[in-house]
Amino acid sequence: MAQKKADPLKKLKRKKRKSKITIDGKEYYFHVIIWEDIVGDSSIASFDDFCKMKTASITSFAYIFKKDKNYLYTFASYSDDGYFGDRNIIPLGVVKKIAEI
């Protein structure tokens, strides 16, 4: 029997306060981002095992730095002097959900 996947957004919907920070006068909001990632395997596998491969559903918690027509730019840490850390650029084509928390 397949196990039901937990919805990370469901737990967060109870939270009413929006989380934001201000860096150099610009506000950034905290989000949960669910996106699809590549899965690879370099071992030998049967036809059936190959057909069962699935991509990974990734949940990221981050501030959105910017979003353009192709990419979502995120960061999860920052310093008081205006530097950003834990940065990622995610192609929008693999993003499934974005929700402000």
Side-chain angles (χ1 to χ4, degrees):
M1 179 184 278
Q3 186 177 8
K4 186 177 178 183
K5 288 185 181 179
D7 182 0
L9 296 176
K10 191 173 187 177
K11 291 179 186 176
L12 299 170
K13 288 178 184 174
R14 288 184 240 145
K15 207 175 197 183
K16 294 186 181 186
R17 226 173 6 154
K18 301 289 182 183
S19 180
K20 71 175 181 178
I21 58 169
T22 303
I23 300 174
D24 291 333
K26 184 169 180 192
E27 292 180 339
Y28 300 95
Y29 292 88
F30 200 63
H31 290 77
V32 59
I33 303 148
I34 300 173
W35 54 286
E36 191 172 21
D37 200 4
I38 295 170
V39 170
D41 184 358
S42 62
S43 66
I44 301 298
S46 70
F47 178 88
D48 290 336
D49 286 339
F50 195 3
C51 290
K52 291 177 187 174
M53 281 184 79
K54 304 246 184 276
T55 57
S57 179
I58 306 296
T59 301
S60 296
F61 295 89
Y63 294 96
I64 292 182
F65 178 74
K66 74 175 186 172
K67 178 180 168 184
D68 63 26
K69 68 178 188 169
N70 296 312
Y71 300 103
L72 182 65
Y73 296 73
T74 68
F75 66 97
S77 62
Y78 56 94
S79 64
D80 290 337
D81 54 356
Y83 288 89
F84 302 91
D86 301 310
R87 299 169 295 137
N88 289 292
I89 301 173
I90 304 170
L92 287 176
V94 300
V95 174
K96 302 300 179 191
K97 290 182 186 178
I98 301 173
E100 189 177 315
I101 55 174

